[in-house]
Amino acid sequence: MIDVQLADRVKNLPPYLFAAIDKMKDESLAKGVDLINLSIGDPDVPTPKHIVEAMQAAVTRAEHHQYPSYEGMPAYRAAVADWYKVRFHVTVDPKSEVLSLIGSKEGIGHVPLAFVNPGDVVLVPSPGYPVYPVGTLFAGGEVHLMPLLEENSYLPNFRAIPADVLKRAKLMFLNYPNNPTSAGAPKSFYEEAIVLAKKHNIIICHDAAYSEVYFDGEKPMSFLEVEGAMDVGIEFHSLSKTYNMTGWRIGFAVGNANVLAGLGKIKSNLDSGVFQAIQEASIAALKTDDAVLADLRNIFQERRDVMYEGLVSLGLKVQKPKATFYLWAKVPQEYSSSSFVSHLLNNAGVLGTPGVGFGAPGEGYIRFALTKPTERIKEAVDRIKKIL
Ligand SMILES: *Cc1c(COP(=O)(O)O)cnc(C)c1O
């Protein structure tokens, strides 16, 4: 037997903070607990029927059985450009300003490989999606965390970034509507980010995975709607959350042609694009009637209302989400993030995610994902009531 040693980049990965919770979850499942799992950001609602049917038709066509191009079919990229035009009034060239991705996670994880040298800094929001720091570390870059704090409306404070860090910064990740805090960003914030990026030559990568999961009719804006955005960065998008297609693995990046060409260089050397039948189905998805999407949004809005009102009635301090399917709640004072999650799991059979798992500034918070039917969410609130 040879001595199988992991590479340093894997050995040095940040500790997996959900391991203890995973173990407790498995233990309660083994005991037969009727667990209400509100910890996963994966919608329980199926993909709309017209998208599944488009896939069924496309999969039988032999031309789709061959290697796709890494950058995406022209028809898929054109559908993305049309969607941007209709949804955000942003005009992009489908040839040079749109790139297909095997889910946006793929693009987010790979983008630092294209631009980050050892010693370069990547600015990363915290709490945040773990792929931002991990993609940075895999590329040999240095992570500088930008805390997202309640008192700053969960926006990073750019003035708090030290001058020497800004000098070495190559890339910055932003994500609104935000996972895990559910916060949104105003236009003025993006304007500030663009000024900073131009001054210090920083590429902005805005993750807009939740732009279509919005409530009360208040549509979030695209980073690319802001003047100057196309000069400094790109926006990542996903069909996963918009169309309940997490399992299909397709997304896209839109924006600055030079940045997309760099990311494309990495992709053309590492992957071979998205199965074309999935791209065909995604073209159908991008043309979905808004009434269908409104129905999907209403499902999450009803759940949000039940969970939000329920938690507030129990005396918890909760940010009311205007978008995303997450609730970000302060844990009662006598608990830490993790001890509160354990308390709910062991005594109420309700599983949330400890905020600290998304980064140190998430300590003191718990995230609930609205990825279970309204009845189960009601039941979760009732059970939490009994133990608080
Ligand atoms: C779900 C999610 C994604 C990516 O989803 P894909 O399925 O890989 O497209 C990206 N960013 C955030 C913040 C997410 O929550």
Side-chain angles (χ1 to χ4, degrees):
M1 187 69 137
I2 60 161
D3 177 22
V4 178
Q5 283 285 338
L6 291 170
D8 293 344
R9 75 176 66 80
V10 179
K11 277 190 193 156
N12 297 340
L13 279 173
Y16 181 65
L17 285 156
F18 303 124
I21 303 288
D22 283 351
K23 189 157 167 263
M24 270 191 284
K25 181 186 89 177
D26 292 342
E27 282 164 9
S28 42
L29 285 173
K31 272 188 272 170
V33 171
D34 172 29
L35 186 71
I36 304 177
N37 188 350
L38 304 179
S39 73
I40 12 178
D42 189 355
D44 56 320
V45 184
T47 306
K49 200 162 140 250
H50 69 284
I51 302 172
V52 176
E53 286 168 357
M55 180 71 184
Q56 286 171 323
V59 81
T60 61
R61 287 170 52 193
E63 73 264 34
H64 293 332
H65 299 170
Q66 294 184 282
Y67 281 122
S69 67
Y70 77 90
E71 76 269 28
M73 293 161 70
Y76 174 65
R77 284 183 289 152
V80 169
D82 288 347
W83 185 79
Y84 252 78
K85 180 96 208 148
V86 171
R87 170 65 177 87
F88 299 118
H89 310 289
V90 169
T91 305
V92 290
D93 172 16
K95 282 200 190 71
S96 60
E97 294 173 333
V98 179
L99 181 66
S100 73
L101 298 172
I102 310 171
S104 58
K105 182 179 187 178
E106 179 261 299
I108 291 165
H110 280 153
V111 74
L113 282 179
F115 301 105
V116 175
N117 284 315
D120 289 345
V121 170
V122 177
L123 303 170
V124 168
S126 178
Y129 190 51
V131 188
Y132 313 138
V134 170
T136 303
L137 295 173
F138 280 177
E142 200 178 296
V143 176
H144 179 83
L145 296 176
M146 302 184 290
L148 305 185
L149 306 175
E150 191 175 357
E151 61 260 36
N152 298 330
S153 312
Y154 300 105
L155 300 168
N157 176 6
F158 295 140
R159 275 160 311 220
I161 305 171
D164 66 303
V165 170
L166 282 174
K167 215 188 231 166
R168 292 189 294 127
K170 192 72 194 282
L171 199 145
M172 169 161 64
F173 284 107
L174 294 172
N175 164 224
Y176 295 98
N178 183 257
N179 174 13
T181 68
S182 85
K187 188 174 181 190
S188 57
F189 170 74
Y190 293 125
E191 287 168 346
E192 214 190 308
I194 291 166
V195 169
L196 187 84
K198 285 192 171 165
K199 186 166 173 203
H200 299 282
N201 215 40
I202 299 169
I203 297 167
I204 295 181
C205 291
H206 183 243
D207 178 356
Y210 295 96
S211 76
E212 305 317 299
V213 190
Y214 59 81
F215 308 125
D216 311 315
E218 287 183 45
K219 296 186 186 187
M221 69 183 300
S222 161
F223 166 64
L224 297 180
E225 283 179 62
V226 184
E227 208 187 314
M230 290 287 270
D231 298 334
V232 301
I234 61 173
E235 185 156 80
F236 286 104
H237 249 290
S238 172
L239 281 84
S240 291
K241 315 291 163 58
T242 307
Y243 305 106
N244 297 325
M245 288 173 71
T246 50
W248 296 60
R249 308 316 302 139
I250 183 160
F252 51 90
V254 173
N256 185 280
N258 294 329
V259 176
L260 292 181
L263 174 56
K265 269 246 163 16
I266 299 298
K267 286 180 58 60
S268 62
N269 282 285
L270 284 182
D271 72 56
S272 300
V274 180
F275 180 26
Q276 289 193 5
I278 294 177
Q279 295 189 55
E280 289 280 7
S282 300
I283 293 169
L286 289 163
K287 296 184 193 316
T288 300
D289 195 291
D290 203 54
V292 175
L293 292 182
D295 285 346
L296 295 180
R297 281 192 278 270
N298 285 337
I299 292 173
F300 288 115
Q301 184 166 322
E302 183 186 89
R303 295 175 181 182
R304 174 203 66 169
D305 291 342
V306 167
M307 190 77 186
Y308 174 76
E309 278 149 32
L311 293 178
V312 168
S313 77
L314 303 182
L316 289 180
K317 225 179 129 217
V318 196
Q319 152 116 343
K320 187 171 187 181
K322 288 187 171 163
T324 79
F325 42 64
Y326 302 112
L327 267 94
W328 186 244
K330 244 199 148 92
V331 306
Q333 219 155 38
E334 61 272 32
Y335 293 97
S336 70
S337 235
S338 298
S339 69
F340 190 60
V341 168
S342 312
H343 178 57
L344 295 190
L345 176 61
N346 294 330
N347 300 303
V350 174
L351 183 59
T353 310
V356 71
F358 300 99
E363 178 51 74
Y365 293 86
I366 181 171
R367 189 193 77 174
F368 294 105
L370 302 168
T371 49
K372 286 287 176 300
T374 307
E375 281 316 305
R376 293 293 277 172
I377 289 175
K378 273 191 189 137
E379 159 100 26
V381 172
D382 288 343
R383 290 195 203 167
I384 295 171
K385 190 184 225 156
K386 290 201 188 103
I387 62 152
L388 275 190

